[in-house]
Amino acid sequence: MPETTLIPIEVPVLGMTCASCVGHVERAIAAVPGVARASVNLAAERAHVELTPTGDAGAVAEAIRKAGYEILTDDVELNISGMTCASCVGRVERALADHPGVLSAEVNLATERARVRRLEGGADVAALVRAVAAVGYGAELVGARTTDMADREREARAAEISGLKRAVTIAAFATAPLFLIEMARHFVPGAHHWLAATIGEQPWRLISLVLATLVLVGPGWRFYRKGVPNLLRRTPDMNSLVVLGATAAFAYSVVATFAPTLLPDGANQVYYEAAAVIVSLILLGRLFEAQAKGRTSEAIRRLMTLQGKTARVLRDGREIEVPIGEVSVGDVVDVRPGERLPVDGEVVEGGSFVDESMITGEPIPTEKRPGDAVVGGTVNKTGAFRFRATKVGGDTLLAQIVRMVETAQGAKLPIQATVDRITGWFVPAVIVAALATFAAWLAFGPSPALGFALVNAVAVLIIACPCAMGLATPTSIMVGTGKAAELGVLFRKGEALQALADVRVVAFDKTGTLTLGRPVLTDLTAAGRFAADEALRLAAGVESRSEHPIATAIVAAADEKGLGVARVEGFEAVPGFGAQALVDGMLVQVGADRFMARLGIPIDALVAEAGRLAAEAKTPLFVAVDGELAAIIAVSDPIKPTTPAALAALHAAGVKVAMITGDNAGTARAVADALGLDEVVAEVLPDGKVAALKDLEARFGRAAFVGDGVNDAPALAAAHVGVAMGAGTDIAIESADVVLMRGDLRGVATALSLSRATLANIRQNLAWAFGYNVLLIPVAAGVLCPAFGWQLSPMIAAGAMALSSVSVLANALRLRGFRGPAMA
């Protein structure tokens, strides 16, 4: 084979340790079809592979993996311009996927983005841009997302809409006289004779020719600029259909105008108004589509507006204002009242109240003092303070949220695979259908057969709408995930949006998920001559010397009530029993019932109360003062206030609710009874949560797991859908598919409902998009004409086609009004 036909690629290979490994990898690569040569360098840990034109870099990568070695890959994101329909998506995907070094390529019509997975160091960005340009589209690298880039994208969208408005206006002015006069000739008595007497038939045809030419070569040139090259490449798209339909009507009319003798008898008709109206209506549809597509990405734009553009930092002892991109980790940033924080950091000087509702959902500002963490994008309310930047650029929480939403919006759900397969052959099939329609009417149609054949074939070309099919899924995903972000639910993986709709049981961890995750004082009952507040003050005096979580809860309760500080001496902890100390000169002893028994202090008066508290999964403690029972207090990890509403919403959605916890069975059962849980699995070690989850799935169906701790990471990863609380650890969030940014369990019900609403919206869009084409293409072909005399005008076809994609977008935008059942 000639040397020039070979395509070289470089593949980084990890895990090779010796020459045997090299031979193993070389043989694995050589066995792949389309590989001409392969050589592996152990020192460089790279394989140099030369492929024939039929070779596939992805197959090479898979062969290396199957041989037991790893390859290095990275992802590149490109902005794609010029796409108009699902055929465009397929064309760009194939151009990128066929490029040497590219493993996979996914293109999203709604976001106008391409995500390319390539071998690290291979398929440079310039080559990918050229590959996209070769099939007629524009491409540029998406860098780290910045406010400036968001501004540029917004300006580009505004310029596109402005250009379409201008094109629609020009087309409308040129088309209006054509359309109105032709309609009058058909429906207004005497209009035909008036036109013949005042202007004349031939002069009017010449005027129509000029007006139609103005529409086609002016506003309509955008269709020719893209549609004709794609026809020549034998990869037709929606633009090609418009070009074929409008040009056929226009060319036929030109022949009828200048060489009518070439046409059969009775076929001397012109269709200039059809060509002009087709272009005008489809341009109008494009305008509505561009405006609607802009609204689908509003969630991202709103998030980006939360980030400031400049920051005041201290440099060389001076305060200077710099662009936000120039803020570095370690810089001290000054913030004044009413300003947005530019980056994440830690307060070092001053104090204030900060509105963190964008993160927590809580409207009440949070007090910030030195040592407290602050988040970029939140709003400083009253005071002024300085903080040291700890995360900047793409590492800030806001940037991570934006990136997460973008990733979810750009995902292709499994349901999209079928759509992609159909749209791949849709446009060629429409052209074949149009040719068949033309031939059938020409052969079997009534006189003038050529006229009927032309009108019906053009109607078939124009009414077909691959745009609606291409937009049906991604627009719903964009609006759905954007709305989820507004409600504090982040889909880390777009696929989770579809997977969550299938969930039949939701399993929760207890501590920190269903409950607050920290003990608080819940009950206090005084005994004998003691007042409740006095007993609490004395108990808090003892516990103020302890570091136990229960002690902290007792002290916090006393502080909340503003009880006076006691003088404490001689503190002594009695492991397994309790603690004692002299408080204001009195011997105060706090502990379990066994501590009181050891001390010989009778507790008969409060034994029943202790039993009730224990049954409620609370920890009862007795307080004795100078050998006399003073009170019983109870501490527990209370259920979050929003938990009952969240579980009720899940039950209403037809989902079983379970709890998997390491707590003892008694405590777990008490919590389950209080919340009305369907299933409880208690005393489970961390590695046993996965097995418990699998058991639930076997009994009820697909399971989601909700947790927030490091111990939950395996269960989050193993679940059909893992949901992490936003207050959880990084490893838990990384293991999850969905993150509840506000730590509010009602977000689980919201995510489930939104997932189902989005899937229903996608199905509606697909039903409309496919149903529209399946039903109306035959009508346009004239199948109803023999029986009912109904024939679809190309102008009506153009209007229907323009409205079809707009209808899909409008339906997707309905998701912006979604309100979760638990948020109502």
Side-chain angles (χ1 to χ4, degrees):
M1 183 168 289
E3 196 71 26
T4 53
T5 64
L6 298 181
I7 304 165
I9 62 170
E10 296 290 323
V11 186
V13 183
L14 301 180
M16 298 186 296
T17 57
C18 65
S20 297
C21 298
V22 171
H24 193 187
V25 173
E26 283 184 344
R27 286 191 296 275
I29 296 172
V32 175
V35 171
R37 276 193 292 273
S39 62
V40 178
N41 186 309
L42 178 61
E45 294 188 312
R46 298 185 80 81
H48 176 80
V49 184
E50 294 182 6
L51 300 174
T52 65
T54 61
D56 179 16
V60 172
E62 186 59 26
I64 294 172
R65 287 197 189 99
K66 285 184 176 178
Y69 303 90
E70 287 297 319
I71 59 168
L72 290 177
T73 64
D74 65 357
D75 290 344
V76 174
E77 248 190 305
L78 301 173
N79 276 322
I80 308 294
S81 58
M83 295 190 299
T84 56
C85 68
S87 296
C88 302
V89 171
R91 193 166 300 111
V92 175
E93 280 187 345
R94 285 192 296 272
L96 290 168
D98 290 343
H99 194 278
V102 171
L103 302 178
S104 65
E106 285 188 359
V107 177
N108 188 299
L109 178 62
T111 61
E112 297 179 325
R113 292 277 184 91
R115 182 176 290 111
V116 182
R117 173 151 290 181
R118 59 180 183 169
L119 297 170
E120 188 167 281
D124 67 276
V125 173
L128 296 177
V129 170
R130 288 195 297 272
V132 174
V135 292
Y137 303 90
E140 65 175 1
L141 178 67
V142 177
R145 183 85 185 216
T146 65
T147 305
D148 289 341
M149 178 173 287
D151 289 342
R152 287 200 301 274
E153 290 186 3
R154 192 159 48 248
E155 288 165 5
R157 177 73 68 189
E160 178 191 6
I161 292 172
S162 176
L164 281 168
K165 284 180 178 177
R166 189 164 53 250
V168 168
T169 302
I170 295 170
F173 273 113
T175 302
L178 271 174
F179 178 74
L180 293 174
I181 291 176
E182 286 298 329
M183 290 301 100
R185 289 176 67 179
H186 285 88
F187 299 109
V188 179
H192 184 83
H193 298 293
W194 172 84
L195 184 69
T198 55
I199 300 177
E201 184 65 29
Q202 189 64 14
W204 172 242
R205 287 190 175 190
L206 294 174
I207 292 171
S208 300
L209 169 65
V210 172
L211 291 173
T213 302
L214 175 62
V215 174
L216 265 62
V217 302
W221 191 248
R222 66 182 63 220
F223 299 114
Y224 287 84
R225 195 167 55 242
K226 293 176 182 176
V228 172
N230 286 334
L231 275 173
L232 296 176
R233 296 188 192 101
R234 298 182 182 178
T235 54
D237 64 352
M238 194 212 74
N239 294 294
S240 305
L241 296 180
V242 176
V243 166
L244 288 172
T247 303
F250 182 83
Y252 184 96
S253 302
V254 170
V255 173
T257 301
F258 295 106
T261 57
L262 298 177
L263 300 175
D265 291 341
N268 184 14
Q269 305 292 330
V270 293
Y271 301 97
Y272 290 120
E273 83 286 355
V277 169
I278 285 169
V279 169
S280 299
L281 286 178
I282 293 174
L283 280 172
L284 183 62
R286 286 274 181 91
L287 173 61
F288 290 155
E289 187 179 313
Q291 290 171 330
K293 280 169 72 177
R295 289 196 292 274
T296 63
S297 57
E298 275 184 2
I300 289 287
R301 285 203 298 276
R302 276 198 290 268
L303 285 170
M304 292 307 301
T305 60
L306 298 177
Q307 187 178 46
K309 294 188 177 182
T310 61
R312 279 187 309 279
V313 300
L314 296 180
R315 299 265 174 89
D316 300 323
R318 293 186 305 112
E319 191 177 285
I320 60 172
E321 191 166 305
V322 299
I324 193 168
E326 295 181 13
V327 179
S328 303
V329 172
D331 277 343
V332 175
V333 182
D334 183 73
V335 184
R336 297 171 187 172
E339 293 182 340
R340 284 196 182 277
L341 278 66
V343 295
D344 298 356
E346 183 181 299
V347 178
V348 294
E349 180 183 327
S352 182
F353 285 84
V354 176
D355 179 358
E356 295 184 319
S357 57
M358 62 164 269
I359 304 298
T360 63
E362 295 293 334
I364 301 173
T366 306
E367 186 177 10
K368 297 295 179 182
R369 297 189 176 280
D372 290 340
V374 290
V375 176
T378 55
V379 181
N380 180 31
K381 302 301 282 185
T382 53
F385 64 91
R386 289 176 174 175
F387 70 92
R388 180 173 287 103
T390 57
K391 291 182 179 178
V392 301
D395 294 330
T396 64
L397 179 61
L398 179 60
Q400 291 175 45
I401 292 171
V402 170
R403 200 157 52 240
M404 206 177 284
V405 174
E406 283 184 327
T407 299
Q409 288 187 337
K412 280 195 175 183
L413 302 192
I415 198 172
Q416 181 71 20
T418 304
V419 180
D420 289 344
R421 281 196 297 273
I422 293 173
T423 54
W425 54 259
F426 179 78
V427 174
V430 169
I431 294 174
V432 171
L435 290 172
T437 299
F438 185 86
W441 278 94
L442 191 62
F444 307 109
S447 180
L450 183 59
F452 279 108
L454 176 74
V455 168
N456 289 318
V458 169
V460 169
L461 289 168
I462 296 305
I463 205 164
C465 188
C467 290
M469 292 189 291
L471 291 169
T473 301
T475 50
S476 297
I477 294 171
M478 285 185 70
V479 180
T481 51
K483 185 63 183 179
E486 289 179 16
L487 296 173
V489 178
L490 298 178
F491 285 89
R492 290 189 64 248
K493 301 171 184 175
E495 297 82 355
L497 195 63
Q498 182 170 342
L500 194 57
D502 300 329
V503 163
R504 294 294 173 264
V505 58
V506 179
F508 292 88
D509 177 46
K510 182 182 80 73
T511 305
T513 302
L514 293 172
T515 65
L516 289 175
R518 62 180 186 276
V520 296
L521 184 74
T522 57
D523 299 83
L524 192 155
T525 302
R529 59 187 177 85
F530 295 94
D533 282 355
E534 177 65 8
L536 177 59
R537 186 184 75 86
L538 295 173
V542 175
E543 301 295 357
S544 66
R545 295 293 188 267
S546 172
E547 295 181 357
H548 195 280
I550 290 179
T552 304
I554 295 170
V555 173
D559 289 343
E560 283 179 16
K561 290 197 166 196
L563 302 179
V565 179
R567 179 170 50 85
V568 181
E569 297 173 329
F571 172 81
E572 179 188 355
V574 185
F577 289 89
Q580 61 184 19
L582 289 173
V583 182
D584 290 342
M586 293 177 282
L587 177 61
V588 181
Q589 294 155 318
V590 182
D593 53 359
R594 57 184 174 275
F595 190 28
M596 298 297 111
R598 177 177 172 177
L599 296 171
I601 299 173
I603 57 171
D604 299 343
L606 295 175
V607 166
E609 178 70 1
R612 180 187 68 81
L613 294 171
E616 294 176 359
K618 298 174 182 178
T619 302
L621 298 171
F622 295 90
V623 181
V625 178
D626 288 334
E628 182 181 352
L629 183 64
I632 184 173
I633 57 181
V635 174
S636 74
D637 181 5
I639 293 166
K640 289 179 178 178
T642 58
T643 295
L647 300 186
L650 288 172
H651 276 133
V655 174
K656 296 287 185 182
V657 180
M659 179 174 72
I660 302 175
T661 179
D663 281 0
N664 67 69
T667 301
R669 176 48 59 189
V671 172
D673 291 343
L675 293 174
L677 300 180
D678 300 301
E679 293 288 327
V680 180
V681 186
E683 300 177 8
V684 178
L685 296 175
D687 56 357
K689 288 185 178 180
V690 173
L693 196 62
K694 295 300 180 187
D695 179 63
L696 289 173
E697 282 198 327
R699 292 162 56 201
F700 298 109
R702 297 286 175 80
F705 183 80
V706 186
D708 76 334
V710 175
N711 291 340
D712 299 330
L716 288 170
H720 184 60
V721 179
V723 182
M725 307 297 289
T729 62
D730 288 341
I731 187 170
I733 290 178
E734 282 300 315
S735 303
D737 305 299
V738 182
V739 176
L740 304 183
M741 191 164 54
R742 295 167 185 169
D744 187 337
L745 271 189
R746 290 177 297 179
V748 179
T750 298
L752 179 70
S753 298
L754 183 57
S755 170
R756 291 178 175 178
T758 303
L759 264 292
N761 192 270
I762 288 172
R763 292 188 187 101
Q764 292 160 7
N765 283 347
L766 290 174
W768 167 257
F770 283 100
Y772 162 89
N773 284 289
V774 168
L775 293 176
L776 291 189
I777 288 177
V779 172
V783 295
L784 298 179
C785 192
F788 302 100
W790 294 348
Q791 190 177 14
L792 197 64
S793 162
M795 291 185 287
I796 296 175
M801 187 269 203
L803 287 174
S804 64
S805 55
V806 174
S807 300
V808 165
L809 285 159
N811 187 50
L813 287 170
R814 289 191 309 110
L815 287 169
R816 294 195 303 171
F818 171 86
R819 291 187 68 199
M823 297 296 181

